[in-house]
Amino acid sequence: MAFSPLVARLSASPMTSAAGYFHLHMISDSTGETLITVARAAAAQYAKISPVEHVHPLVRSQKQLGRVLGEIEQTPGIVLYTLLQENLAAKLEEKCRELGLPCLSILGPVLHLFQSYLGAESTHKVGAQHTLNAEYFRRIDALNYTMMHDDGQQADDLEEADVLLIGVSRTSKTPTSIYLANRGVKTANIPLVPGVPLPAGIEHLKRPLVVGLFATPERIVQIRQNRLLGLKAHRDDDKYIDHIRPEWRNRGVSNRSRVVANSRIG
């Protein structure tokens, strides 16, 4: 019995073959970030089958959608979309019904839930979550400040910081600073180095929250040794820990991870 080209493609598609993959079409009228995140989170639950991703961002006209439909017909598979224009969404779903393909709006069920609870219509604004509002510019300002005040740089204006991190080398000062800056917290960090005094005036700071990042000597040795191995260098463990112990004693360090520090600050 002869089958149409479409039926033949579906019969040999990854949904029924042992190839271990399937086609996944993601269609968005914006950047597609929301769609990609959700789709990959779902696909990750199927470890033995990998998606072949077809990402179609910025689809906002019938002509653009027509090109996408052509590609879907050539490589049939699961279709996910975030299209707020109802005419485009309707055309996509109609085509998928003709092809016998599963098609789902990622935002649709969520918007309907919000609408039924709030009793209000959505704005149907494309890419509304990417609006450049005051919060966005606050985060950018915090990131700029944090990068310029990493590792003891520009210590003359620490009073402008929201948080000041102090700790010996390899206590995750920079990663913690970036973590906080991404949440709009201006963060400076200063290393504790034996024999090197701290910047003048730190004890008189009034605005920033001053936080010490801690680790045991053994933990610091482990982290530093791993870094040395990455640089193809080597230090004797016993001699190295003897070198670190004065740092630890002088600074009153105890064991605390950066995760705990982040949760306490945030």
Side-chain angles (χ1 to χ4, degrees), residues 10-24:
L10 286 173
S11 300
S13 72
M15 291 183 290
T16 56
S17 72
Y21 68 90
F22 65 98
H23 292 284
L24 175 59

Side-chain angles (χ1 to χ4, degrees), residues 183-205:
R183 283 149 183 80
V185 180
K186 290 183 178 180
T187 309
N189 73 79
I190 297 176
L192 292 175
V193 181
V196 178
L198 291 172
I202 282 185
E203 64 273 17
H204 302 300
L205 293 175

Side-chain angles (χ1 to χ4, degrees), residues 3 13 24 31 40 43 65 73 75 90 94 113 121 124 127 136 141 143 182 191 201 205 210 219 231 257:
F3 295 99
S13 72
L24 175 59
T31 62
R40 288 179 178 173
L65 181 61
E73 188 167 0
T75 54
E94 181 183 0
L113 179 65
E121 290 284 345
H124 287 77
Y136 169 83
D141 189 35
L143 280 167
N182 272 292
L205 293 175
V210 180
R219 177 59 178 164
L231 298 173
S257 71

Side-chain angles (χ1 to χ4, degrees), residues 23-168:
H23 292 284
L24 175 59
H25 293 271
M26 294 173 279
I27 305 138
S28 173
D29 48 20
S30 186
T31 62
E33 291 179 12
T34 302
L35 185 58
I36 292 170
T37 299
V38 174
R40 288 179 178 173
Q45 299 299 316
Y46 301 89
K48 296 183 179 180
I49 308 175
S50 301
V52 177
E53 295 183 354
H54 303 263
V55 182
H56 312 279
L58 301 173
V59 177
R60 300 178 182 178
S61 69
Q62 294 288 345
K63 184 177 181 181
Q64 291 169 328
L65 181 61
R67 289 195 293 266
V68 173
L69 295 179
E71 185 171 337
I72 292 174
E73 188 167 0
Q74 290 298 316
T75 54
I78 294 175
V79 178
L80 303 177
Y81 70 89
T82 52
L83 298 174
L84 294 180
Q85 293 187 48
E86 294 181 359
N87 59 331
L88 296 182
K91 184 174 182 179
L92 174 62
E93 291 186 353
E94 181 183 0
K95 185 65 173 180
C96 288
R97 281 195 297 271
E98 292 177 4
L99 299 175
L101 298 177
C103 179
L104 178 66
S105 167
I106 295 300
L107 286 178
V110 179
L111 291 174
H112 290 151
L113 179 65
F114 273 52
Q115 181 178 333
S116 63
Y117 184 80
L118 299 175
E121 290 284 345
S122 65
T123 62
H124 287 77
K125 182 179 180 181
V126 175
Q129 73 273 32
H130 301 298
T131 301
L132 302 184
N133 53 20
E135 177 67 19
Y136 169 83
F137 288 108
R138 188 170 72 90
R139 292 201 311 271
I140 295 301
D141 189 35
L143 280 167
N144 289 334
Y145 180 90
T146 299
M147 296 305 295
M148 290 189 296
H149 294 78
D150 182 45
D151 203 31
Q153 301 180 79
Q154 299 192 24
D156 56 338
D157 62 344
L158 295 176
E159 193 65 57
E160 296 182 17
D162 297 312
V163 172
L164 172 60
L165 304 178
I166 301 177
V168 299

